[in-house]
Amino acid sequence: MARRNLNHKMFDSVDISTSQTQSKETNTENVDQAFVIIKWTGTAPIGAITFEGSNDELNEIKKGTEVWEELYMGLVPISVTGNSGSHQIQFNSMPFKWLRIKYTSTSGIGNLTAHINATTLGA
């Protein structure tokens, strides 16, 4: 198996004054570990971040008929509070084909960016 690397923004300065139902799906197939950096800025944003995984096939993703399950992160949900802040998530294994982020807004205004970097070990 060849090495595979991912490096892109799942959210790119999205408006967090309203809920963001989902980030763009990230295909994590053949990736062993990942690191996601989440940053926000604004005026008193309050909300929650959750991660969701799916093992459905690409054709289900394209049709919008895939099934997503919320991933237990130990801190579900991850709180967004304060005028600015950040949170880091490290995945030591990727037992799902697809990953996405969901943001649920409670109040405030601001922007949120989430950047993933993932790789295959060995190979």
Side-chain angles (χ1 to χ4, degrees), residues 1-93:
M1 175 172 59
R3 289 183 61 86
R4 179 162 184 246
N5 296 304
L6 302 173
N7 189 335
H8 68 268
K9 290 181 179 174
M10 297 175 78
F11 277 138
D12 190 3
S13 291
V14 296
D15 176 11
I16 57 174
S17 63
T18 60
S19 295
Q20 298 295 323
T21 55
Q22 66 190 36
S23 67
K24 180 169 174 40
E25 305 89 7
T26 297
N27 183 326
T28 58
E29 215 167 0
N30 300 320
V31 170
D32 297 316
Q33 62 184 19
F35 189 69
V36 180
I37 298 173
I38 301 166
K39 294 183 178 186
W40 64 89
T41 60
T43 303
I46 297 175
I49 295 171
T50 52
F51 282 81
E52 297 177 328
S54 176
N55 281 323
D56 286 325
E57 299 297 329
L58 178 59
N59 62 340
E60 298 298 321
I61 298 289
K62 287 181 177 181
K63 291 189 294 187
T65 58
E66 74 278 12
V67 175
W68 293 93
E69 293 291 329
E70 187 172 303
L71 303 176
Y72 176 72
M73 306 297 293
L75 295 173
V76 172
I78 298 165
S79 294
V80 169
T81 59
N83 290 342
S84 65
S86 65
H87 196 85
Q88 301 82 35
I89 299 293
Q90 182 170 338
F91 291 92
N92 293 321
S93 65

